[in-house]
Amino acid sequence: MAGAEEMKKYRSPLVSRYASKEMSYNFSDKKKFTTWRKLWIFLAKAEKALGLPITDAQIAEMESHAEDIDFAMAAEEERKLRHDVMAHVHTFAHCCPTAAPIIHLGATSCYVGDNTDLIALRDGFNILLPKLARVIDRLANFAEEYADLPTLGFTHFQPAQLTTVGKRACLWLQDLVMDVRNLERARDDLRFRGVKGTTGTQASFLQLFQGDHDKVVELDKMVTEMAGFKKAYLVTGQTYSRKVDIDCLSRLASLGASVHKICTDIRLLANLKEIEEPFEKEQIGSSAMPYKRNPMRAERCCSLARHLIALVADPLQTASVQWLERTLDDSANRRISLPESFLTADIILSTLQNITEGLVVYPKVIERHIRHELPFMATENIIMAIVKAGGNRQECHEKIRVLSQEAAAVVKQEGGDNDLLARIQRDPYFAPILGQLDALLDPKTFIGRAPQQVKTFLAEEVRPLLEPYKANMDVKVELAAHKVCVVQPACGPLLLVLLLVNQPRWREVITDEMKRD
C-alpha cells in the first residue's frame, strides 16, 4: 500500500488501479534506464569488436552494474545538469570508473532514448497480443456453443430478421481478428533506430573509425542485432520518424474501437436481459438500488477505450510539427501518450477477457423476445403457404396487413402481447394452413446460414490465427477484491486467496505474478 505522503500525490489510475504488472514494468523507470545501460554495453561491445581501444575489463565492469541504478544520484545529477541522458551517463560512470571514458562513445541522446522507446513498443505489442488472442479464444468458444441459438437481430436497434447468438459473436470476433493482424504488422514493421549520430548522418562514428564506412555500417548492424531487431531504419534525423508512433498508436486506437463496440453491444443486451457479464455473488450494482446488476466491466472497457481512441491524436500532431532533423517538443508528449496507450489497451483486454470467460446467456428471455416479434416476421412465409394452398397473394397480403395493424395497436397502445398469431388462427381465411403454422413459425427457419457461417469462420479464420498463441491460452483472468488476477490454473487459487487477504479495499489491478515454466 502507498504511504501517507504518497496518498497526497496524484497517481495515474492506469498504473495504481488498473494495469498489469508486466505492462507497468515495460514503461517503468527501472526498465527504461536498465535498457539505456544495456544499449551502452551493446555499443561498447560492437565498437571494441570493430577495433576501437576498449578493453574486456571495461565491458565487464559495465555489465556488472547494468542493473544497480542509483536513482537518487541520477535525480540529483539531472537537477544540476538539466539533461536526463547525461545525468545517467554520469551515474553509470560513477560506478564504472574504468569504463567511464567510453560510455556513450560517439552517441547522441536519441541513441538510448529512441532505441529504448522502440524496444518498449515492441515488447508492449508482445504483451498485448497473447491477451488479445485469449479474448478471441474465449469468444470463439462462446460463438461455437451458441452457433445455432436463434435471437432477434437488430438494425437501428429495432427488431430485424433473426440471427444467432453465435453469429453475433462472430461479428465481434471479425473485428478482433483484424486487430490481431494489425498489431502483429505494427510490431513486425518496427525497426531499430540504431547508431545514427546527432542528425542521422553517422558522422561521429565515421570519425571514430577514421572514415571506414564499412565499419560504421557493421556497427549499426551489430548493435541492432544485439537489441533483438532484424533491421534498422536506413535513414533517420536525430530521431526515428514520429510516423512510427502514429502507426503503433493508430492500431491500438482501432483495437479500442473494436472493444468499445463489443462492450456497447453487451451493455445493450444486458438491458434486454438476454446476455450478462459475470456478476459475483456479493457484488453490489448500485449503492441506492440493491436490485441492480450494472454491466460495470463493459462500462469500464468503454470508458477506457474512448481514452485509447483519443490518444492517437497526440502522435498525429507531434509528427506533423517536427522541424527539419528534430525538435524537442515531442518529448514530454511522448512520455505520456506512448505508455498510456499501451497501458490502456492492456487493461481493456484483461477486463474483456474476464467478461468473455463468464458471459451468461438467458435463452428463455431470448425466446420470449422472438415470440413477441416473430409473428410479424413470419407474414411472408404465411403468404407463400396460402398461395401454395391455392389462395390469392394480394388478397392474403391485405388480410395480414389489417390483422398486423390490429395486433400492433394492442402492443403499442394497450401494452399487450403480440396476438397476431391468435388473430390468424381465428380467421377462417387461414384454415387451409393452420396445421402448418408451428413449422412456419419455427425460429430456426429464419436464421438462414448463420450456424454454417459460424462453423466456417471459426475453422478458416479464427482457429488458425490462434495457433502461434496456443502456449498462452490457459491463463485466466479473475476479479478479486482490490485486484484482478491473471493466474495459472495450477497455482491461481493460492494467489487469489493471498490477494483477498492482503488487499481488502475494492480496487482492480491486473497482476501477472506467475509465469509458465
Side-chain angles (χ1 to χ4, degrees):
M1 295 291 290
E5 287 303 312
E6 287 300 311
M7 297 302 289
K8 296 178 182 178
K9 302 176 183 177
Y10 173 76
R11 297 178 299 156
S12 169
L14 289 176
V15 175
S16 67
R17 186 174 176 90
Y18 296 129
S20 69
K21 182 179 179 180
E22 57 186 347
M23 190 63 82
S24 297
Y25 177 75
N26 189 49
F27 291 98
S28 68
D29 283 350
K30 176 66 174 177
K31 180 177 178 181
K32 175 180 178 179
F33 297 121
T34 298
T35 302
W36 284 14
R37 291 191 175 188
K38 289 178 180 177
L39 288 168
W40 284 322
I41 293 168
F42 296 159
L43 181 62
K45 283 183 173 181
E47 289 174 336
K48 176 183 181 298
L50 292 169
L52 292 189
I54 296 172
T55 67
D56 290 335
Q58 288 174 311
I59 291 174
E61 184 181 54
M62 294 168 71
E63 289 180 326
S64 68
H65 293 286
E67 303 280 346
D68 57 343
I69 301 172
D70 187 336
F71 287 100
M73 176 182 288
E76 178 59 24
E77 287 290 326
E78 185 172 356
R79 187 191 65 80
K80 293 187 297 183
L81 302 174
R82 309 299 294 176
H83 196 288
D84 57 348
V85 174
M86 286 309 299
H88 278 270
V89 169
H90 287 192
T91 302
F92 198 17
H94 178 77
C95 59
C96 300
T98 303
I102 57 94
I103 294 174
H104 199 65
L105 182 60
T108 187
S109 298
C110 283
Y111 168 68
V112 289
D114 271 31
N115 283 324
T116 294
D117 287 342
L118 289 163
I119 289 170
L121 294 175
R122 178 196 65 192
D123 293 352
F125 282 124
N126 284 333
I127 293 170
L128 292 178
L129 277 163
K131 296 188 176 189
L132 178 53
R134 288 197 292 272
V135 171
I136 291 173
D137 175 72
R138 278 37 166 193
L139 269 179
N141 295 338
F142 178 85
E144 188 171 42
E145 180 178 359
Y146 295 102
D148 59 356
L149 178 62
T151 187
L152 282 178
F154 288 91
T155 57
H156 316 279
F157 202 41
Q158 302 299 313
Q161 191 174 54
L162 268 58
T163 182
T164 69
V165 172
K167 171 62 188 299
R168 178 177 284 141
C170 285
L171 299 181
W172 304 337
L173 279 167
Q174 187 169 48
D175 290 350
L176 295 177
V177 165
M178 294 172 65
D179 290 317
V180 168
R181 293 173 179 149
N182 286 339
L183 265 60
E184 288 176 339
R185 278 196 294 266
R187 178 199 60 192
D188 296 344
D189 285 348
L190 285 173
R191 298 187 183 186
F192 206 50
R193 178 193 175 274
V195 289
K196 297 297 194 294
T198 55
T199 59
T201 65
Q202 299 176 305
S204 59
F205 296 104
L206 194 62
Q207 185 176 1
L208 277 176
F209 289 102
Q210 299 180 338
D212 191 328
H213 288 263
D214 290 339
K215 285 190 175 181
V216 175
V217 171
E218 185 62 20
L219 176 73
D220 203 358
K221 181 180 178 183
M222 289 176 67
V223 173
T224 296
E225 291 176 350
M226 289 181 194
F229 286 80
K230 295 179 180 179
K231 292 182 179 180
Y233 295 108
L234 295 178
V235 293
T236 72
Q238 188 174 93
T239 69
Y240 67 79
S241 170
R242 295 312 184 215
K243 281 183 72 68
V244 174
D245 296 343
I246 296 174
D247 193 39
C248 293
L249 268 61
S250 64
R251 309 299 173 90
L252 297 182
S254 181
L255 170 64
S258 300
V259 173
H260 200 296
K261 185 266 192 293
I262 293 168
C263 289
T264 299
D265 284 355
I266 291 172
R267 292 163 65 190
L268 292 170
L269 294 169
N271 174 261
L272 298 175
K273 297 180 174 58
E274 292 188 357
I275 288 180
E276 284 184 346
E277 66 178 37
F279 198 89
E280 273 72 39
K281 183 178 179 181
E282 297 182 4
Q283 182 176 331
I284 295 175
S286 167
S287 62
M289 294 167 280
Y291 61 88
K292 292 194 74 178
R293 293 169 65 97
N294 297 335
M296 47 84 73
R297 294 168 180 80
E299 289 174 322
R300 176 179 300 128
C301 284
C302 288
S303 180
L304 291 172
R306 290 199 303 275
H307 180 59
L308 180 56
I309 293 167
L311 283 169
V312 74
D314 280 336
L316 284 167
Q317 295 187 60
T318 295
S320 71
V321 298
Q322 292 304 286
W323 297 352
L324 305 174
E325 279 66 47
R326 112 107 344 145
T327 178
L328 196 59
D329 65 354
D330 63 338
S331 179
N333 185 292
R334 295 175 71 252
R335 288 175 192 264
I336 298 169
S337 60
L338 296 187
E340 286 203 357
S341 292
F342 280 85
L343 290 163
T344 305
D346 178 71
I347 182 59
I348 64 176
L349 285 178
S350 294
T351 306
L352 186 55
Q353 181 184 335
N354 175 259
I355 292 171
T356 54
E357 286 175 345
L359 275 177
V360 181
V361 177
Y362 295 106
K364 294 297 183 182
V365 176
I366 293 172
E367 182 182 351
R368 185 174 72 245
H369 290 159
I370 290 174
R371 286 201 310 269
H372 188 75
E373 299 291 342
L374 194 58
F376 292 142
M377 298 178 188
T379 53
E380 185 66 20
N381 287 7
I382 294 172
I383 292 173
M384 293 300 101
I386 284 289
V387 171
K388 287 179 182 179
N392 180 283
R393 193 263 178 202
Q394 275 62 250
E395 185 178 285
C396 182
H397 183 280
E398 179 60 19
K399 285 274 188 183
I400 290 180
R401 184 188 70 81
V402 172
L403 295 177
S404 295
Q405 291 184 357
E406 291 172 355
V410 171
V411 172
K412 296 176 181 178
Q413 297 173 19
E414 301 175 19
D417 292 331
N418 185 340
D419 64 354
L420 175 59
L421 183 58
R423 292 175 184 272
I424 289 174
Q425 290 171 329
R426 291 196 300 266
D427 192 319
Y429 179 82
F430 296 96
I433 65 163
L434 289 183
Q436 303 177 43
L437 282 182
D438 287 344
L440 293 173
L441 292 167
D442 181 0
K444 291 197 173 184
T445 65
F446 291 84
I447 59 175
R449 298 192 64 256
Q452 292 76 20
Q453 288 178 348
V454 172
K455 182 179 179 180
T456 302
F457 177 63
L458 295 182
E460 296 186 10
E461 295 276 351
V462 178
R463 300 300 185 191
L465 187 82
L466 298 179
E467 279 297 312
Y469 304 99
K470 285 176 66 175
N472 304 102
M473 286 301 164
D474 289 340
V475 180
K476 188 175 181 180
V477 172
E478 297 195 23
L479 285 176
H482 192 61
K483 295 201 174 195
V484 177
C485 312
V486 181
V487 297
Q488 299 291 346
C491 44
L494 174 60
L495 177 60
L496 207 56
V497 169
L498 290 173
L499 290 172
L500 284 165
V501 170
N502 294 322
Q503 306 287 355
R505 293 177 58 236
W506 178 262
R507 189 166 63 137
E508 291 181 4
V509 183
I510 300 296
T511 59
D512 193 354
E513 298 289 352
M514 303 178 181
K515 307 296 181 184
R516 303 183 71 85
D517 291 335

